[in-house]
Amino acid sequence: MTDHTTDPDRMAPQPFKGHGISHPRAPAAGGGVSLEGAADPAAAIARIAEPFDDIDDDFAALFDRFAERRVILLGEASHGTADFYRARAAITRRLVSRHGFGIIACEADWPDMAVLDRRVRGRAGPAPAEPPFQRFPRWMWRNTDFAALVDWLQRENADRTPDERAGVFGLDLYSLAGSIQAVLGYLDRHDPEAAGIARRRYGCLTPWAEEPAHYGSAVLRQRYGSCEEAVVAQCREILQRGMDGDPEGYLDAAQNARLISAAERYYRVMYQGGAASWNLRDRHMFETLQQILEARGPGARAVVWAHNSHIGDARATAMGRSMDELNLGQLCRERFGDEAALIGFGTAAGTVAAAADWGDEMEVMAVRPPLPGSWEALCHATGIPRFLADFGRAGDLRDSLSRDLLERFIGVIYRPESERASHYMKADLPHQFDAWVWIDRSAALTPTSHGGDADPAAKTDPEDAETFPSGL
């Protein structure tokens, strides 16, 4: 029986709450993976490692080799490590400012990121009913490093024409209530009669909008009829409307309508177990990315921020090989081929911002040393504190390194007491990613009261930062 409390990057304890912790399908506790008879893999990693000292412009320049790709996916081994955010921000700044990338697409909800996009691109739009990123885990996007990137992007865009400005977009599907309000708001402005029809259709979901998992449970137990027909009809009607002279507003409304339809399906299938809900979510993220690329024009290129479990090719992991799961990285490779670059990030030790269980307060937790025989243990054994391993340039070493070893995945929940079962699964790292960024010792990110939605002219008071227990 599938235990969804231990799925990587998924919310816990219920299966619908992604972003949590890792697969339970990793081997049972006890002993590392044997490398007896194999060439020293740590030495092989060291041979291809390109060391760097700091996360700075020189570090970011290492990624110029990928600058001609159409889609560059930047991962993270946890949702709470400042070094991963800083590294991705440094790479993103260079790709936007020097190489013409105009899309920053994140594992975040569309309506929340739309608030930031209006700010950084100077777009008109309705004021949000509440600040973005209010649901757990708030620190994932309300932190100092992401806020600094948004502030930088607004300044970078200031001297650009509207068509040249880089934007930020959300790929995920959890914002049911916010997306319903966004669609209704768009129709209220453009077609009040159609807005009335939409309100009646979405009325089926309204009782569940804030707790949509309860909707899925009620439908499963046949205590409530499915809203599928109503939301699909509304999505189809929005897509048939056209732009109404407001292309950005239309894109926002159309994507929110797609999200509502996908979310309705997601919450209906999440209790069925197996791969259905995970696959639906990652397909939605991929299709959203495609829609953004199409809307931004034939030369559009994107940087994607998501967890390693989403951006590493699932076919090179236990996800794809044992569990029939696909992911965003796999779909991008299948669609874009060599025009997609999948870059993972890992660490051995330090601290991480995470919760002990779903909905709990954030804590700063110590990251346990990696298990023997894991990819993290091999990277640590190189003795190189920070490096880039470009598997695409490794030649024959890529195949010689290819093997299924344990890899660590920490989402927004971290359970060090059951780390083997909760946070590790098998993966072939050189084929899961095109490149791997190693930061041996890392630190937890710092949450703030905003995630880039505040005016940068309003200096942040240190006492304004959110206060959390347990050593923050």
Side-chain angles (χ1 to χ4, degrees):
M1 183 174 71
T2 300
D3 174 8
H4 287 276
T5 66
T6 50
D7 283 352
D9 186 46
R10 306 182 192 194
M11 309 176 187
Q14 293 91 351
F16 65 93
K17 291 183 172 178
H19 305 294
I21 52 181
S22 198
H23 283 76
R25 297 91 164 181
V33 177
S34 173
L35 300 175
E36 184 178 358
D40 181 358
I45 293 171
R47 284 179 58 188
I48 64 173
E50 300 174 48
F52 61 90
D53 293 324
D54 297 310
I55 298 172
D56 54 15
D57 290 342
D58 289 339
F59 161 77
L62 291 172
F63 298 85
D64 286 350
R65 71 194 70 191
F66 302 112
E68 298 304 315
R69 309 288 180 104
R70 187 162 190 211
V71 179
I72 299 177
L73 296 92
L74 304 178
E76 58 183 354
S78 88
H79 281 317
T81 301
D83 302 77
F84 299 153
Y85 281 73
R86 291 171 188 162
R88 295 188 297 183
I91 298 165
T92 300
R93 288 194 300 269
R94 189 172 182 94
L95 292 173
V96 169
S97 63
R98 296 193 179 214
H99 299 293
F101 280 70
I103 297 166
I104 303 170
C106 301
E107 183 191 338
D109 291 333
W110 179 277
D112 289 331
M113 278 294 175
V115 174
L116 304 190
D117 186 58
R118 287 193 286 271
R119 182 192 145 196
V120 300
R121 289 203 280 155
R123 295 198 295 113
E130 63 177 7
F133 312 114
Q134 291 300 305
R135 70 173 178 82
F136 180 92
R138 295 180 67 190
W139 68 89
M140 187 171 160
W141 300 111
R142 285 183 168 265
N143 61 72
T144 55
D145 296 300
F146 186 69
L149 176 66
V150 173
D151 290 348
W152 173 87
L153 187 58
Q154 184 179 27
R155 296 192 300 271
E156 175 70 15
N157 280 338
D159 296 328
R160 299 183 178 202
T161 66
D163 289 343
E164 295 173 331
R165 292 172 185 163
V168 291
F169 305 88
L171 299 178
D172 225 329
L173 51 57
Y174 292 116
S175 58
L176 189 59
S179 291
I180 289 174
Q181 290 305 311
V183 172
L184 295 177
Y186 173 83
L187 291 175
D188 281 337
R189 295 190 299 275
H190 290 274
D191 189 339
E193 182 178 349
I197 296 171
R199 279 187 169 83
R200 289 193 291 275
R201 286 171 173 161
Y202 288 152
C204 178
L205 283 174
T206 299
W208 318 96
E210 297 299 333
E211 293 290 344
H214 296 168
Y215 162 75
S217 177
V219 172
L220 180 68
R221 291 167 174 76
Q222 297 183 334
R223 292 187 286 108
Y224 192 78
S226 168
C227 300
E228 179 182 16
E229 183 177 346
V231 298
V232 168
Q234 186 57 49
C235 181
R236 185 182 301 115
E237 185 171 306
I238 285 283
L239 297 180
Q240 291 172 347
R241 286 184 61 86
M243 295 185 181
D244 294 325
D246 179 12
E248 293 288 359
Y250 172 74
L251 172 64
D252 186 62
Q255 188 51 42
N256 276 300
R258 291 188 184 98
L259 189 156
I260 295 163
S261 182
E264 189 275 335
R265 294 196 306 275
Y266 178 82
Y267 289 113
R268 278 192 290 109
V269 305
M270 65 188 180
Y271 289 102
Q272 297 175 9
S277 60
W278 175 271
N279 290 350
L280 192 157
R281 181 183 173 207
D282 271 56
R283 283 193 184 279
H284 173 79
M285 289 199 283
F286 174 70
E287 290 166 2
T288 301
L289 178 62
Q290 286 187 299
Q291 294 293 334
I292 300 166
L293 286 165
E294 181 178 345
R296 297 283 280 174
R301 291 184 293 163
V303 185
V304 178
W305 288 32
H307 195 273
N308 283 348
S309 59
H310 291 297
I311 70 102
D313 192 330
R315 295 170 296 182
T317 72
M319 295 168 61
R321 293 175 176 175
S322 304
M323 292 168 275
D324 296 322
E325 293 181 338
L326 50 77
N327 65 2
L328 179 60
Q330 172 186 338
L331 294 170
C332 282
R333 272 187 174 168
E334 290 174 346
R335 170 63 180 84
F336 300 112
D338 291 340
E339 289 192 302
L342 281 50
I343 302 172
F345 289 70
T347 188
T351 56
V352 65
D357 207 344
W358 183 257
D360 286 358
E361 295 286 354
M362 193 208 85
E363 304 176 39
V364 172
M365 303 182 183
V367 178
R368 296 185 64 180
L371 292 177
S374 65
W375 286 110
E376 289 81 4
L378 294 181
C379 291
H380 177 69
T382 66
I384 306 173
R386 296 180 173 192
F387 64 79
L388 169 67
D390 186 342
F391 298 125
R393 295 186 178 184
D396 292 341
L397 272 178
R398 183 173 195 166
D399 289 334
S400 69
L401 271 171
S402 177
R403 63 198 77 215
D404 284 343
L405 303 181
L406 295 178
E407 181 184 338
R408 179 157 56 190
F409 297 81
I410 300 172
V412 297
I413 293 168
Y414 185 38
R415 292 176 178 160
E417 72 280 0
S418 61
E419 189 169 60
R420 178 66 175 270
S422 297
H423 297 291
Y424 281 90
M425 72 171 171
K426 291 285 190 69
D428 178 355
L429 197 76
H431 292 95
Q432 182 187 7
F433 301 107
D434 295 298
W436 175 252
V437 178
W438 179 251
I439 300 171
D440 195 69
R441 190 164 192 86
S442 57
L445 55 74
T446 302
T448 67
S449 60
H450 72 98
D453 51 302
D455 186 339
K459 302 299 182 183
T460 302
D461 186 328
E463 295 184 1
D464 190 39
E466 295 177 9
T467 303
F468 294 88
S470 302
L472 182 62

